[in-house]
Amino acid sequence: MKTKTIGQQLGRSSWAEPWKIKMVEPIHMISRNERAVALEKAGYNTFLIRSEEVYIDLLTDSGTNAMSDRQWAGMMMGDEAYAGSRNFYHLEEAIQEYYGYKYVVPTHQGRGAENILSKIAIKTGQFVCGNMYFTTTRLHQELAGGIFTDVIIDEAHDAQKEHPFKGNVDLRKVQKLIDEHGAASIAYICLAATVNMAGGQPVSMQNARELHALCKKYDIRIFLDATRAVENAFFIQEREEGYADKTLAQILKEFCSYSDGATMSAKKDSLANIGGWLGLNDRGLYEEGCNLVVVYEGLQTYGGMAGRDMEVLSIGIKESVQDDYMRSRIGQVRYLGELLMDWGIPITRPIGGHAVFLDAQKFYPHIPQEQFPAQTLAADLYLESGVRSMERGIVSAGRKKETGENYHPSLELTRLTIPRRVYTQAHMDIVAESVKNLYDVRDQKKGLKMIFEPKYLRFFQARFERL
Ligand SMILES: *Cc1c(COP(=O)(O)O)cnc(C)c1O
């Protein structure tokens, strides 16, 4: 599929944000010398830089959303009762209405739900199939005794390959596992939509439907990673036959109907700063989830969230499925990506939902993967411009559980993640120019050496030195 320019696709004005700004937060840029000191102090890991040392913060879209006036008003309506807060019931109703799951277990964020689901649905030694891994998701699956198996289509592992639904599951890979090990060897399919690690790439409705049919035949459950399922719905509406006239809300509901439940990081799609949930259709599993939520998160009517957080979230869900909002959201991501493409800067294609991913291996062809090109690129971009991004390559991939060897992912990416409703088009221009300036001097840059490596999720806290 050919990516059209924003102008061709939407017309420049048609992705304009359907809101105006009511409150502002000052940002400023510290000097290059100060950034050099900050970067060294942070061990060349952008997760360890203080937010005040950052100019434009594209580390993540997680919990960095700007809330609406309605959500701020909702904060004042928090019912901070320990048990049975009215805000929980608002949240439960919103999830039932928009995602369609019968039962809701609230959690403090996505990984809280992943922990509970992994513990109740995986038996030691079972496979968990996923359309590419996600860091926290795979770790919880492994800690629960599962063996993660990647079943995404091959195209997803090639950053330059164009495919309208690069997040799709390769059904033949699932069938092969069933044929070789039997259906009972598979705990469940973990279906992510969109696929973060592949570049925010969507899954088609057809693929979800066919996966559902296959799994039904063998009695295998599907659990959705619904973190960016609304962004996924936008791509279905745009690219898949028969969906152009359906609303995002209709598409989301149908998509979720092909799954047995979902884990949710509400810090992404749902326009909140904190929160998550586990949605389930099976009563027995729900009861097990309720049993564990009180161990790890909090009572089953708050799960680690304050009443006001749950109110914010229930309002955020409704705002997230509005078509004009999502058009502006993805329009802004594309605007940045297309500026970079116009300048010949290598990025993952097609441009995904929540971020523009720089292809660090192509950006720094002289830096081998063992010297962390994507980590280097994130560090250099901060140094040169004050723009914060994050590594999504060999550092994020971590080590194999069985052998302790490094994974060597074929994608070595640096993610410019766009917070929702936070930055303007002028900020995107500055980011693009910053990347361009760095690209122009790219052959002068040297890689990194890891000098501290934590055991779990090393990308968060690892430290590096310049070679
Ligand atoms: C962020 C994220 C998670 C984990 O959620 P947290 O709220 O950060 O714990 C899971 N899956 C995907 C795809 C994510 O992007």
Side-chain angles (χ1 to χ4, degrees):
M1 200 211 62
K2 188 119 176 44
T3 311
K4 292 184 198 143
T5 66
I6 281 292
Q8 286 169 312
Q9 216 150 32
L10 303 164
R12 195 180 182 84
S13 62
S14 65
W15 70 272
E17 291 85 353
W19 40 259
K20 56 184 177 175
I21 296 165
K22 171 140 50 184
M23 193 187 287
V24 297
E25 176 184 342
I27 54 174
H28 75 285
M29 176 143 64
I30 60 175
S31 72
R32 191 179 191 282
N33 273 346
E34 288 169 321
R35 292 199 299 276
V37 172
L39 188 60
E40 211 183 311
K41 238 172 73 189
Y44 294 85
N45 184 345
T46 50
F47 276 101
L48 302 178
I49 297 170
R50 288 179 181 217
S51 156
E52 287 180 335
E53 296 162 341
V54 172
Y55 175 37
I56 296 175
D57 200 350
L58 307 187
L59 181 73
T60 175
D61 63 330
S62 180
T64 54
N65 304 306
M67 295 203 295
S68 67
D69 52 359
R70 312 296 144 110
Q71 285 176 297
W72 279 107
M75 288 211 84
M76 303 307 286
M77 306 293 276
D79 171 6
E80 307 304 344
Y82 188 89
S85 159
R86 116 182 120 238
N87 311 115
F88 170 72
Y89 299 103
H90 294 166
L91 175 60
E92 187 183 49
E93 276 165 35
I95 294 166
Q96 287 165 341
E97 181 178 349
Y98 291 95
Y99 290 84
Y101 301 113
K102 282 194 203 136
Y103 307 109
V104 176
V105 182
T107 61
H108 78 287
Q109 61 183 77
R111 71 198 71 180
E114 290 168 353
N115 176 37
I116 294 171
L117 177 67
S118 299
K119 283 195 161 72
I120 61 179
I122 301 172
K123 290 196 210 86
T124 302
Q126 277 187 314
F127 296 106
V128 184
C129 301
N131 50 345
M132 202 169 272
Y133 82 101
F134 185 74
T135 53
T136 58
T137 319
R138 184 179 66 192
L139 179 61
H140 279 298
Q141 290 160 355
E142 290 180 346
L143 290 173
I147 303 164
F148 177 81
T149 311
D150 186 11
V151 294
I152 203 166
I153 56 172
D154 290 338
E155 285 88 338
H157 291 283
D158 180 347
Q160 301 304 317
K161 201 134 211 163
E162 293 273 356
H163 188 294
F165 293 102
K166 229 177 164 177
N168 278 357
V169 171
D170 187 336
L171 298 183
R172 291 165 308 182
K173 292 183 184 172
V174 179
Q175 184 70 58
K176 187 156 170 273
L177 203 67
I178 296 170
D179 294 343
E180 284 174 8
H181 300 276
S185 72
I186 299 175
Y188 58 87
I189 313 280
C190 175
L191 178 70
T194 62
V195 182
N196 191 348
M197 302 303 282
Q201 302 295 336
V203 174
S204 71
M205 191 70 88
Q206 187 187 345
N207 190 244
R209 194 184 298 122
E210 288 174 2
L211 181 68
H212 175 69
L214 177 71
C215 288
K216 200 152 185 180
K217 189 167 139 199
Y218 291 101
D219 208 17
I220 298 170
R221 286 184 296 222
I222 300 172
F223 291 109
L224 184 66
D225 182 338
T227 297
R228 297 185 188 80
V230 190
E231 290 176 3
N232 196 83
F234 174 86
F235 290 105
I236 291 174
Q237 187 186 56
E238 178 185 70
R239 296 177 185 172
E240 196 161 349
E241 211 182 308
Y243 290 94
D245 296 328
K246 294 218 158 82
T247 64
L248 291 182
Q250 289 170 319
I251 296 168
L252 177 69
K253 193 87 171 265
E254 182 186 341
F255 197 87
C256 293
S257 76
Y258 300 125
S259 68
D260 299 284
T263 55
M264 179 70 182
S265 170
K267 303 171 71 172
K268 324 281 173 64
D269 257 358
S270 301
L271 297 162
N273 299 126
I274 192 72
W277 46 266
L278 171 62
L280 294 163
N281 285 334
D282 181 82
R283 176 89 205 172
L285 266 189
Y286 166 68
E287 276 162 10
E288 287 181 57
C290 278
N291 205 342
L292 285 187
V293 78
V294 295
V295 180
Y296 293 106
E297 303 283 320
L299 196 73
Q300 69 278 0
T301 54
Y302 76 86
M305 287 180 279
R308 53 181 172 268
D309 298 332
M310 294 189 282
E311 192 62 28
V312 158
L313 191 42
S314 61
I315 298 167
I317 289 171
K318 289 167 202 152
E319 292 180 359
S320 74
V321 297
Q322 286 168 12
D323 291 60
D324 53 355
Y325 152 70
M326 190 54 81
R327 195 160 50 242
S328 75
R329 156 75 177 148
I330 305 228
Q332 186 180 40
V333 174
R334 281 187 187 161
Y335 175 79
L336 173 61
E338 283 171 3
L339 283 177
L340 294 173
M341 283 203 302
D342 285 349
W343 287 331
I345 292 164
I347 64 170
T348 298
R349 301 164 66 158
I351 298 162
H354 65 300
V356 174
F357 291 70
L358 302 171
D359 189 341
Q361 201 75 86
K362 288 222 151 53
F363 199 102
Y364 284 154
H366 58 290
I367 301 179
Q369 195 169 32
E370 292 67 40
Q371 295 175 11
F372 312 111
Q375 186 79 33
T376 305
L377 179 45
D380 290 340
L381 185 62
Y382 170 73
L383 177 65
E384 299 303 335
S385 65
V387 173
R388 172 153 72 171
S389 57
M390 97 149 78
E391 196 263 9
R392 291 273 89 148
I394 189 166
V395 183
S396 294
R399 291 178 184 273
K400 290 189 187 130
K401 190 187 157 199
E402 312 81 50
T403 61
E405 286 168 87
N406 275 318
Y407 281 106
H408 286 269
S410 47
L411 298 178
E412 181 67 26
L413 310 172
T414 302
R415 191 179 76 181
L416 301 164
T417 339
I418 315 301
R420 296 169 186 78
R421 306 193 291 207
V422 171
Y423 291 113
T424 67
Q425 190 168 325
H427 289 122
M428 295 302 109
D429 289 337
I430 289 179
V431 171
E433 286 159 17
S434 302
V435 175
K436 172 77 166 66
N437 291 343
L438 180 60
Y439 193 61
D440 291 341
V441 297
R442 62 192 181 280
D443 28 328
Q444 299 162 20
K445 296 294 181 182
K446 291 205 170 63
L448 297 169
K449 183 172 91 176
M450 199 187 293
I451 55 168
F452 170 68
E453 179 177 355
K455 186 165 170 207
Y456 299 122
L457 303 172
R458 64 183 183 184
F459 59 97
F460 283 132
Q461 292 147 352
R463 303 181 69 86
F464 303 81
E465 257 171 25
R466 188 77 80 173
L467 283 169

